[in-house]
C-alpha cells in the first residue's frame, strides 16, 4: 500500500508520521467494520455509552501534555494554544458524558386520554467525518463524542496535513475502552473523502473545512440519497471597536484574535471595524504590539506565533496581502513571508500583518485569509460598522468592544453571525454552547452544546395508546 508523510510545519524535513494512503476500497472496509460494531454499541444504554466517553476524557487529561506536543509538532500551533485545544476535547468529553444522563427529547401531553407522546434520538448508523488540520484534536472530539453518544459507528478521515493528531485522538478513545472496530480511520485526500461522503452505508456526513470543498462534499453526498450532511465552513470575522471602548482590552483582544494560531482558526479576527476617530491611535499601538510578537518554533515557550501550515498556504496569504496593496490598502506592519526563522529550517512563517485603508469591497475585506492578517476598516458609527460586518457572505463570529451597554446590545441584535462576543475577541468559543455560523459558514447545524448531537442522530416520535380502543387524533371529542 502506498503511504504519505506528515511533517512538522516549523521544520518540514522532520517527518511526524507516515501513514497509509487509503482508497475507495479501504473506505468500504472501514464502513463495513464500523457498521458491524455499531449494532452492539447502539444496544448499550445511553448512560453506559456516556461513561465510556467520560473515560476518554480521563485518558485525554492524562495525556494532555503529550497530545499538545503532537499538535504543536504536526499543526504548528504554539504550545499554550495546543494545550487549550486538547483541553477543549477534555471539556467536550465531560459535556457529552453529562448529556448522556440528561433529557434527550421532549414529553408532550397527548390530546387523547390514556395516550403518551414523547420524542427520543436514534442513531444514523455510521457517521463519516472529514476533519481539518487546524484543530486536529478538538474538532474530531466535537464530532466523535456526540456521534458515539447517539449510538453510531464512526469512520473519520483526518486532514492529510495533521493525520497523526487524529490517530492519537482515536487511540485515546480506544485506550479508554471504546470498541476499536467502532472507530475507523481512513487517510488521504480527495479520494477517500469522496468515497466516504458518497458511501451508501454512511448515514451522516460531517465536514469541517473550506466552502468550495464543503459544497462538493455536500453535493456528492446528496447524490446518493438523502442523508444528514453538516457543514462547518469559513469565516470572515470582524471585531467592531467603538470610540468609548477600553482600548487596552481592544489591543489584547485584537492581538489574540488575529494572530493567535497564526490566524488559522475559522474564528480568527480578520477585520477590525473601527470608528474613524480612534483608528490612528489603535492601529499605531496595535502595530507596535504585533511587531513585538516573536516568530519561532511552536514548541518553545517564548514563541508567540508559529509557522503557517505549509509554504503554499504562506504564499497564498501574502498573495492576498499583495493584492490588497494593489487595490489601495497600506501595510502598516508585517506582510512578508519569512523562511529564515531561527531553528525552523524550511518552515514558512507569515509576519503578523496589519493593513490600513482597506475598503469593504476589497478582496481582503471579503474573502477568508486563514492567516495572521488583520484588515482595518474605518467607519463613522455603529450602524455603518454593522453594515460592514454583515456585508460578507460568511457569518461565523463577531465581536463588539464598547462600554455602552445599549450600543453593545444593539450590535448583538443586528450582527448576523452564529457567535457574537461583547468585549472579548472573536475566538474562544466554549463547549457547552453551540458553535457554528449563518450564511455560507454552514448549513444550520451546530457543533458542541446540547445541539451537537443533532447532526449525528434522527428524532423519533413515539405514541403509546394504552386505552385499549381506537382513539382518533384531530377527530375524537372535536367539533365536526
Ligand atoms: C476553528 O477555528 O475551526 O472558538 C474552531 C474558537 C475555538 C474553536 C475554533 N474554541 O476559536
Amino acid at each position: 500500500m502506498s503511504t504519505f508523510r506528515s511533517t512538522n510545519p516549523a521544520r518540514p524535513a522532520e517527518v511526524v508520521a507516515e501513514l497509509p494512503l487509503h482508497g475507495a476500497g479501504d473506505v468500504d472496509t472501514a464502513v463495513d467494520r464500523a457498521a458491524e460494531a455499531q449494532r452492539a454499541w447502539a444496544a448499550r444504554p445511553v448512560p453506559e455509552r456516556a461513561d465510556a466517553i467520560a473515560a476518554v476524557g480521563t485518558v485525554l487529561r492524562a495525556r494532555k501534555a503529550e497530545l499538545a506536543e503532537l499538535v504543536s509538532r504536526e499543526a504548528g500551533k504554539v504550545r499554550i494554544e495546543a494545550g487549550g485545544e486538547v483541553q477543549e476535547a477534555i471539556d467536550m468529553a465531560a459535556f457529552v458524558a453529562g448529556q448522556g444522563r440528561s433529557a434527550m427529547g421532549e414529553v408532550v401531553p397527548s390530546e387523547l386520554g390514556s395516550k403518551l407522546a414523547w420524542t427520543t434520538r436514534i442513531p444514523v448508523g455510521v457517521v463519516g467525518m472529514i476533519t481539518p488540520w487546524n484543530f486536529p484534536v478538538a474538532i474530531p472530539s466535537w464530532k466523535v463524542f456526540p456521534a458515539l453518544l447517539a449510538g453510531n459507528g464512526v469512520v473519520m478521515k483526518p486532514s492529510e496535513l495533521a493525520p497523526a493528531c487524529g490517530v492519537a485522538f482515536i487511540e485515546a478513545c480506544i485506550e479508554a475502552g471504546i470498541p476499536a472496530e467502532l472507530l475507523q480511520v481512513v487517510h488521504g485526500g480527495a479520494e477517500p473523502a469522496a468515497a466516504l461522503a458518497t458511501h451508501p452505508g454512511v448515514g451522516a456526513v460531517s465536514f469541517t473545512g473550506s466552502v468550495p470543498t464543503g459544497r462538493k462534499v455536500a453535493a456528492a453526498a446528496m447524490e446518493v440519497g438523502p442523508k444528514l450532511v453538516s457543514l462547518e465552513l469559513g469565516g470572515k470575522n470582524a471585531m467592531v471597536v467603538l470610540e468609548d471602548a477600553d482600548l487596552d482590552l481592544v489591543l489584547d483582544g485584537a492581538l489574540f484574535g488575529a494572530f493567535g494560531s497564526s490566524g488559522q482558526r475559522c474564528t480568527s479576527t480578520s477585520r477590525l471595524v473601527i470608528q474613524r476617530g480612534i483608528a490612528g491611535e489603535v492601529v499605531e499601538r496595535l502595530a507596535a504590539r504585533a511587531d513585538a510578537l516573536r516568530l519561532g518554533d511552536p514548541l518553545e515557550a517564548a514563541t508567540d506565533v508559529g509557522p503557517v501550515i505549509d509554504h503554499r498556504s504562506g504564499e497564498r496569504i501574502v498573495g492576498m496581502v499583495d493584492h490588497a496593496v494593489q487595490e489601495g490598502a497600506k501595510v502598516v506592519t508585517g506582510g512578508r513571508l519569512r523562511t529564515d526563522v531561527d531553528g525552523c529550517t524550511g518552515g514558512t512563517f507569515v509576519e503578523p500583518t496589519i493593513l490600513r485603508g482597506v475598503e469593504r469591497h476589497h478582496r481582503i475585506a471579503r474573502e477568508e485569509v486563514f492567516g495572521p492578517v488583520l484588515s482595518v476598516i474605518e467607519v463613522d458609527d455603529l450602524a455603518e460598522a454593522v453594515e460592514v460586518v454583515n456585508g460578507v457572505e460568511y457569518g461565523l463570529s463577531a465581536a463588539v468592544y464598547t462600554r455602552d451597554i445599549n450600543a453593545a446590545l444593539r450590535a448583538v441584535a443586528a450582527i448576523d453571525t452564529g457567535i457574537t462576543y461583547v468585549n472579548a475577541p472573536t475566538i474562544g468559543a466554549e463547549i457547552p454552547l453551540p458553535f457554528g455560523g449563518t450564511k455560507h459558514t454552514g448549513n444550520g447545524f451546530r457543533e458542541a452544546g446540547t445541539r451537537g448531537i443533532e447532526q449525528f442522530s434522527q428524532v423519533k416520535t413515539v405514541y403509546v395508546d394504552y386505552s385499549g380502543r381506537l382513539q382518533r387524533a384531530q377527530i375524537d371529542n372535536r367539533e365536526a
Side-chain angles (χ1 to χ4, degrees):
M1 176 170 289
S2 52
T3 61
F4 70 103
R5 291 168 163 182
S6 77
T7 57
N8 181 341
R11 285 179 296 278
E14 186 184 310
V15 173
V16 176
E18 178 155 5
L19 295 138
L21 199 54
H22 289 130
D26 302 302
V27 171
D28 284 345
T29 311
V31 173
D32 287 349
R33 286 188 180 151
E36 171 71 30
Q38 185 263 338
R39 285 185 273 277
W41 178 251
R44 293 202 202 172
V46 178
E48 205 180 300
R49 289 183 225 145
D51 288 347
I53 293 164
V56 181
T58 306
V59 171
L60 291 173
R61 187 170 294 118
R63 289 201 180 176
K64 184 174 172 183
E66 177 199 324
L67 281 165
E69 190 181 317
L70 181 61
V71 170
S72 290
R73 282 179 59 224
E74 200 181 40
K77 198 173 282 200
V78 293
R79 191 59 182 68
I80 192 161
E81 290 188 63
E85 147 141 32
V86 178
Q87 187 59 47
E88 197 156 343
I90 296 168
D91 295 348
M92 190 69 188
F95 179 79
V96 172
Q99 213 180 352
R101 284 189 161 79
S102 310
M104 246 185 217
E106 28 185 355
V107 178
V108 173
S110 168
E111 64 182 63
L112 297 161
S114 302
K115 189 177 173 191
L116 303 172
W118 73 85
T119 69
T120 183
R121 290 214 163 255
I122 53 173
V124 296
V126 175
V127 178
M129 303 174 180
I130 301 170
T131 59
W133 55 264
N134 72 325
F135 275 83
V137 170
I139 290 181
S141 82
W142 296 2
K143 299 186 194 298
V144 168
F145 294 150
L148 289 177
L149 188 75
N152 298 293
V154 168
V155 181
M156 180 171 103
K157 192 204 80 63
S159 162
E160 64 272 47
L161 296 174
C165 291
V167 169
F169 170 74
I170 295 294
E171 280 173 1
C173 295
I174 293 166
E175 185 187 320
I178 306 283
E181 292 287 289
L182 198 62
L183 295 173
Q184 300 286 324
V185 184
V186 291
H187 292 290
E191 190 192 330
L196 192 54
T198 56
H199 198 292
V202 168
V205 178
S206 180
F207 173 86
T208 301
S210 72
V211 169
T213 311
R215 283 194 184 139
K216 274 190 222 152
V217 165
M222 296 309 278
E223 277 289 303
V224 295
K227 50 176 83 175
L228 295 180
V229 179
S230 59
L231 303 173
E232 191 52 59
L233 310 174
K236 189 68 199 172
N237 315 297
M239 175 191 281
V240 173
V241 181
L242 299 182
E243 263 159 9
D244 70 328
D246 174 341
L247 296 189
D248 292 327
L249 199 61
V250 167
L251 296 185
D252 288 345
L255 217 66
F256 184 47
F259 306 130
S261 303
S262 301
Q264 301 172 113
R265 295 190 188 217
C266 47
T267 51
S268 289
T269 310
S270 180
R271 300 178 290 159
L272 187 76
V273 181
I274 186 164
Q275 262 187 303
R276 222 173 287 283
I278 51 166
E281 180 194 344
V282 169
V283 169
E284 193 182 314
R285 290 176 63 192
L286 198 57
R289 294 272 302 269
D291 274 346
L293 294 175
R294 217 164 133 159
L295 308 185
D297 184 342
L299 287 168
E300 301 288 336
T303 297
D304 298 306
V305 178
V308 290
I309 190 69
D310 58 15
H311 191 72
R312 203 173 57 154
S313 176
E315 285 191 322
R316 184 187 51 74
I317 296 164
V318 294
M320 288 185 77
V321 172
D322 292 346
H323 189 268
V325 170
Q326 280 164 32
E327 286 192 295
K330 188 173 152 289
V331 176
V332 181
T333 187
R336 286 176 312 166
L337 214 56
R338 293 274 304 276
T339 51
D340 59 348
V341 172
D342 256 4
C344 298
T345 311
T348 298
F349 291 71
V350 176
E351 293 173 339
T353 301
I354 299 173
L355 294 168
R356 204 171 167 191
V358 174
E359 303 286 338
R360 57 175 104 171
H361 63 271
H362 291 168
R363 189 174 144 216
I364 199 88
R366 289 181 289 111
E367 291 180 14
E368 184 168 44
V369 179
F370 227 67
V373 179
L374 183 66
S375 294
V376 180
I377 303 173
E378 290 166 44
V379 293
D380 287 329
D381 52 22
L382 175 60
E384 191 184 352
V386 167
E387 234 178 83
V388 171
V389 174
N390 290 344
V392 293
E393 62 180 23
Y394 297 107
L396 183 54
S397 178
V400 56
Y401 279 71
T402 176
R403 287 180 167 115
D404 176 346
I405 182 75
N406 292 355
L409 293 179
R410 278 205 302 276
V412 167
I415 286 173
D416 185 1
T417 55
I419 307 168
T420 309
Y421 292 90
V422 176
N423 293 331
T426 60
I427 68 176
E430 298 177 29
I431 284 307
L433 289 156
F435 181 94
T438 60
K439 300 195 271 185
H440 290 200
T441 293
N443 60 347
F445 284 104
R446 291 290 183 269
E447 303 212 81
T450 48
R451 291 189 51 189
I453 198 169
E454 289 175 9
Q455 51 175 306
F456 308 113
S457 58
Q458 294 277 9
V459 175
K460 174 177 272 186
T461 304
V462 185
Y463 297 105
V464 177
D465 190 320
Y466 59 96
S467 69
R469 59 194 158 83
L470 173 67
Q471 300 197 88
R472 297 168 303 175
Q474 294 93 37
I475 296 173
D476 291 356
N477 311 325
R478 298 298 186 98
E479 285 163 24

